[in-house]
Amino acid sequence: MEKPGNFLQRLKSEVPRKVLADGARNQPLAHVKTHGGFLLINLNGVQVENPSICIEFLSTDSTPVYAKFSLASTDQMIVQVDVSPMSLELQSTRAMQGTIRYRWCSASEAAIRLFTSGIISALRHNDWGFFFRSGRAYIRAGILTGAKRWLTAIARKDFLLRITEYTAWVRLAEPSTDTHATTEQVSLHSNDSGPLISVVVPVYNTEERWLRSAIESVIRQTYSNWELCIADDASTKKHVSDVLESYANKDSRIKVVYRKENGHIARASNSALTLATGEYIALLDHDDELAPHALEEIAKELVRWPETDLLYTDEDKIDSAGHRSGPVFKPDWNPDLLYSLNMVTHLSVFSASVVAEVGGFQVGTEGSQDYDITLRVLEKTTPNRVRHLPQILYHWRMVPGSVAFLESEKDYAHVQARKVISEHLNRTGKCADVVKGFGNFHRISCSLPDPAPGVSVIIAVGASAQHQLSKCVETIARTGWPSLELLLVGPDDTAIKAFEQRELPPGTTTKLLRGAPRNRAACFNNAADAAAHPYIVFLSAETLCSDPKWLAELVRHASRPEIGAVGARIDYGNGRIHRWGAMLGLNGAASFPHIDTANPSGIVFHPAPVIQNFSGLSSDCMMLRKTVFLEAGGLDPNWMSSDLADIDLCLRVWSLGLRVVWTPHSHVKNLNTPEAVLRLTTEDKSRFKKEWEQLAERDPFLSPRLSRESAHFALAFPPLNQASRPWGLLDELAE
């Protein structure tokens, strides 16, 4: 039962309040203090100069927030405030006159009002297509789950504005539209010094408002040296040709070709390419939008780095009401992640000469044609000619029928992607199967060497690890690897002596290295020198290797000549994360993200468990070829933190020109008590920053737009450096 005090407070907050708009522009309307919730704003009867933008929200404290909504389809709006606590200022952006009413309302009332508004809008504008399209799409996810998502989508279609942390971040990170509007002819292109960028758009039966939005987003660019190359793939809806013809007549930079028969997206894209005369090709889908400054920022990078063959940017999603969400902050050079998912996607810009060299888009790759051309271009270039620009310059439309709306909308695209990756691997002489991985992601499954190589498993044994060591060895013994050597090493003989008479499966031998140094790195180094087999695995005694395929998966990747070290997915016994891959710059030096969390998610680009590259791994379960370990100099025993010793080793592996890869398909568990953070000494942090100065603050696998203060990938306030970075950053270590 609700307490009387809480009820009175809520009742007081739900009393309607009024503010009089006197007709002036940019006038402050009200100050609202909030701890989060739903704010109902009613503008019934208010006269507005232009309904396209009428009210914006600005914070009046240290938490910056910016958001706005339109009166185009409704006279009321519900604002869901997710940032708490804060103080909002309501401000008009157009001349308004009349009485504005606002109050806080409950979540239940908000849901009812939102759904009712959606129904009324559909009746008023005869827009039932949205309901049927979204309903069909969502029901595919399951009756109950799909129905819930469907109703939510209808309710939020045009009438809900969410003020979130991302809304605040966008306000700080991106230049305002007004600022760009006053500097449209910037020095870069006022003297035609910038490259001509051909924006390629295949079109087929696009809804009129989204088609206009896409074209207008190009016309509004602050950079003028562009051409828009559109191919209509024999659309059957008359408005498509009418819209295209209208824009082509208004602007000579807009070129249109009309295909006589529908050939699908690859052929249509190639038709659009025939119109392109620019030095660079940018890809835009027919219902998406470019940020107003997108081509300007890209042109600056291309002028600065004219040898670029491929440049890609970050992106987010935009809904039917223009609300942005779901930012994708991409990493830089991560070739193994590229085989798990298309990490380039939007916005991608290619050298026109390289696109011509690879033959444009390949017919038969529909659904993954962009993925395919990216892989083909990468075959013709080098990592230092590929650049990532960490700015959100592309807005991916969330409408029914698009993957942005629901990932399962185009299942065929994921199947096609695996075919595209497989063909790329065949062309480049890499032998691997491409199968379905986690969710809709992909998994590269390399062939095991034949015959199977011998593996030396080195287990670091602590003074009190006898019981845990017994479990660890039992699970390793069940692995069934034909040639296996166990090396037990540690400063205390007690835990090791118990295994002198232990019976092990055929092909498995044991070496007991007594009297080893107390330093874990020194123990591993001594054992590696004594290892008899070409592959070595470092394990902690607290590790359970219950998955029978854990070792085979490590060998699959460690046997790849371009790979120097392989790490496993290490979780605690309760399923929460212990050690995945390590990133630089976190925790004052380096750290393992998501420690002691159950399901990593949020704004990082790749929270799902997929094969990918990291700067470092954990020796709680890490495999290397013995020759690589010795060439890298082994583990440095002078680090006080064994975790930093592991990461330091991995960076030296990178300096050999080899990659460090992490695979979730080798899954082990750690029996230790969960810890929330990685504890590092001040001395270790200072040393790490000094020895790895060029990388300590610019991990290529971690976006510069994310905070280094948290290992859970929070947005950086203020946003960090947004200069482009080459894919070959870690290759510089090998030079």
Side-chain angles (χ1 to χ4, degrees):
M1 183 174 180
E2 188 173 16
K3 295 181 179 180
N6 294 343
F7 172 77
L8 292 174
Q9 182 65 30
R10 182 173 62 83
L11 184 64
K12 181 179 179 182
S13 68
E14 293 182 2
V15 173
R17 303 181 185 182
K18 301 179 181 180
V19 60
L20 185 63
D22 60 9
R25 290 191 181 192
N26 299 320
Q27 61 171 316
L29 299 175
H31 294 281
V32 181
K33 291 187 177 181
T34 174
H35 288 272
F38 294 88
L39 180 65
L40 173 63
I41 301 176
N42 193 317
L43 294 102
N44 186 25
V46 176
Q47 297 180 357
V48 185
E49 174 192 26
N50 185 337
S52 61
I53 302 174
C54 72
I55 290 184
E56 66 180 7
F57 301 85
L58 304 171
S59 74
T60 55
D61 59 12
S62 59
T63 307
V65 165
Y66 171 79
K68 56 192 177 185
F69 72 83
S70 167
L71 278 181
S73 58
T74 181
D75 56 13
Q76 74 173 19
M77 176 64 69
I78 292 179
V79 183
Q80 181 178 346
V81 183
D82 289 345
V83 183
S84 173
M86 69 181 311
S87 179
L88 291 177
E89 176 182 310
L90 281 64
Q91 178 174 300
S92 67
T93 59
R94 292 290 185 269
M96 302 173 61
Q97 192 163 10
T99 302
I100 301 171
R101 297 173 177 83
Y102 67 96
R103 65 179 175 86
W104 293 99
C105 66
S106 66
S108 299
E109 180 185 353
I112 294 172
R113 285 184 174 275
L114 288 168
F115 187 76
T116 303
S117 296
I119 297 294
I120 293 173
S121 176
L123 289 170
R124 183 183 301 171
H125 302 291
N126 195 25
D127 188 21
W128 291 103
F130 172 84
F131 292 85
F132 296 125
R133 291 192 304 272
S134 61
R136 183 174 62 251
Y138 276 131
I139 294 303
R140 291 176 191 165
I143 298 298
L144 294 178
T145 300
K148 181 178 178 181
R149 292 179 181 176
W150 183 24
L151 296 176
T152 303
I154 293 172
R156 292 181 174 177
K157 178 172 179 286
D158 288 312
F159 315 104
L160 175 67
L161 176 65
R162 296 187 67 187
I163 295 182
T164 64
E165 183 183 33
Y166 180 56
T167 312
W169 184 89
V170 166
R171 177 66 169 173
L172 286 181
E174 298 182 2
S176 68
T177 305
D178 293 339
T179 300
H180 274 298
T182 60
T183 59
E184 184 170 345
Q185 296 299 321
V186 296
S187 59
L188 175 65
H189 53 276
S190 59
N191 56 10
D192 295 325
S193 61
L196 175 62
I197 301 175
S198 300
V199 181
V200 170
V201 184
V203 169
Y204 179 71
N205 282 347
T206 316
E207 190 171 335
E208 181 173 353
R209 58 174 170 167
W210 305 140
L211 179 58
R212 290 186 180 275
S213 294
I215 296 173
E216 289 288 348
S217 76
V218 179
I219 294 174
R220 289 195 303 267
Q221 290 297 303
T222 59
Y223 180 75
S224 61
N225 198 16
W226 55 262
E227 60 180 8
L228 180 56
C229 305
I230 303 174
D232 175 27
D233 196 20
S235 294
T236 57
K237 296 182 178 180
K238 186 178 183 303
H239 73 262
V240 174
S241 59
D242 293 341
V243 169
L244 297 181
E245 185 175 346
S246 172
Y247 279 105
N249 290 335
K250 293 178 183 178
D251 195 323
S252 60
R253 296 173 296 179
I254 300 177
K255 307 175 181 180
V256 183
V257 59
Y258 297 94
R259 292 177 50 82
K260 294 182 179 179
E261 60 181 12
N262 180 260
H264 302 294
I265 192 167
R267 287 190 177 93
S269 298
N270 284 333
S271 296
L273 281 177
T274 64
L275 304 174
T277 60
E279 302 162 61
Y280 292 91
I281 306 295
L283 306 184
L284 173 64
D285 285 351
H286 60 172
D287 51 5
D288 296 341
E289 295 183 20
L290 299 180
H293 56 297
L295 297 185
E296 177 184 334
E297 296 298 331
I298 287 169
K300 289 177 182 177
E301 292 303 313
L302 296 177
V303 168
R304 189 176 296 120
W305 308 101
E307 73 283 0
T308 300
D309 287 331
L310 167 60
L311 183 148
Y312 64 98
T313 76
D314 294 346
E315 61 188 275
D316 64 10
K317 296 180 177 66
I318 188 169
D319 65 14
S320 58
H323 303 150
R324 290 169 53 187
S325 62
V328 177
F329 297 104
K330 304 172 186 176
D332 297 335
W333 185 56
N334 202 324
D336 285 282
L337 179 64
L338 183 62
Y339 294 151
S340 299
L341 53 96
N342 183 4
M343 54 169 279
V344 173
T345 55
H346 313 303
L347 172 64
S348 52
V349 180
F350 303 89
S351 165
S353 60
V354 180
V355 170
E357 184 179 355
V358 302
F361 295 89
Q362 300 299 304
V363 175
T365 62
E366 285 75 12
S368 289
Q369 69 286 336
D370 294 354
Y371 206 164
D372 176 75
I373 199 170
T374 296
L375 293 172
R376 289 177 181 274
V377 166
L378 291 175
E379 294 167 19
K380 301 295 183 181
T381 189
T382 55
N384 62 346
R385 298 173 73 94
V386 180
R387 302 194 72 85
H388 167 222
L389 182 57
Q391 298 184 42
I392 292 181
L393 302 180
Y394 193 100
H395 309 310
W396 194 10
R397 182 76 62 186
M398 291 191 296
V399 293
S402 72
V403 178
F405 185 76
L406 194 65
E407 279 197 3
S408 59
E409 279 283 10
K410 297 181 179 179
D411 286 333
Y412 70 90
H414 306 300
V415 176
Q416 190 69 269
R418 289 188 271 278
K419 175 185 174 184
V420 161
I421 298 169
S422 180
E423 292 174 349
H424 161 75
L425 294 174
N426 290 335
R427 290 193 302 268
T428 55
K430 299 172 183 175
C431 183
D433 294 325
V434 185
V435 297
K436 186 178 184 297
F438 176 83
N440 285 317
F441 300 124
H442 322 304
R443 175 187 176 186
I444 302 300
S445 182
C446 305
S447 301
L448 283 170
D450 187 16
V455 177
S456 297
V457 180
I458 302 172
I459 305 175
V461 183
S464 59
Q466 182 171 348
H467 179 64
Q468 293 173 328
L469 177 60
S470 177
K471 291 183 177 181
C472 175
V473 172
E474 285 177 8
T475 58
I476 295 173
R478 292 197 296 266
T479 298
W481 195 257
S483 181
L484 193 64
E485 176 188 44
L486 300 184
L487 293 96
L488 309 184
V489 57
D492 194 316
D493 291 351
T494 304
I496 296 176
K497 284 181 179 178
F499 290 87
E500 284 185 316
Q501 306 301 322
R502 188 183 185 92
E503 292 187 9
L504 296 172
T508 302
T509 61
T510 303
K511 285 183 182 178
L512 308 178
L513 305 180
R514 298 187 179 87
R518 290 191 175 275
N519 182 286
R520 173 165 155 160
C523 285
F524 278 153
N525 288 341
N526 291 352
D529 288 337
H533 293 313
Y535 290 82
I536 56 177
V537 178
F538 296 116
L539 281 181
S540 69
E542 299 82 13
T543 302
L544 289 184
C545 306
S546 303
D547 179 3
K549 299 180 181 179
W550 74 277
L551 189 58
E553 176 69 10
L554 294 179
V555 173
R556 290 180 192 277
H557 291 283
S559 62
R560 295 163 57 189
E562 72 273 19
I563 300 300
V566 190
R569 172 178 177 171
I570 312 172
D571 292 338
Y572 288 114
N574 60 7
R576 300 173 76 85
I577 294 172
H578 173 59
R579 297 287 189 274
W580 287 14
M583 290 182 167
L584 311 181
L586 302 176
N587 199 24
S591 186
F592 293 88
H594 304 303
I595 292 177
D596 196 27
T597 58
N599 295 302
S601 61
I603 53 180
V604 69
F605 178 53
H606 46 96
V610 294
I611 298 171
Q612 57 192 283
N613 301 113
F614 278 105
S615 291
L617 302 169
S618 171
S619 62
D620 281 359
C621 187
M622 174 169 55
M623 174 180 280
L624 303 91
R625 296 190 294 277
K626 182 176 178 178
T627 54
V628 172
F629 180 76
L630 296 177
E631 187 179 357
L635 288 157
D636 186 345
N638 295 316
W639 291 101
M640 299 179 69
S641 165
S642 60
D643 288 301
L644 280 189
D646 298 340
I647 297 169
D648 172 75
L649 169 64
C650 289
L651 290 175
R652 283 184 276 118
V653 169
W654 278 108
S655 69
L656 299 177
L658 300 173
R659 299 207 300 267
V660 174
V661 67
W662 176 82
T663 171
H665 305 292
S666 176
H667 189 194
V668 300
K669 293 186 177 181
N670 186 279
L671 298 177
N672 281 329
T673 302
E675 58 182 347
V677 295
L678 198 66
R679 293 178 175 84
L680 304 177
T681 65
T682 303
E683 293 79 4
D684 268 357
K685 290 180 181 180
S686 299
R687 180 190 170 192
F688 189 86
K689 288 182 178 180
K690 182 178 180 180
E691 294 194 6
W692 298 106
E693 181 179 3
Q694 57 181 324
L695 289 173
E697 298 299 332
R698 54 186 300 205
D699 189 311
F701 312 114
L702 178 60
S703 170
R705 318 316 296 278
L706 301 177
S707 173
R708 269 59 179 167
E709 301 298 322
S710 168
H712 300 289
F713 302 127
L715 288 164
F717 284 96
L720 304 178
N721 175 40
Q722 51 187 331
S724 74
R725 303 190 293 185
W727 265 23
L729 185 62
L730 279 169
D731 284 352
E732 296 173 5
L733 295 177
E735 295 178 356

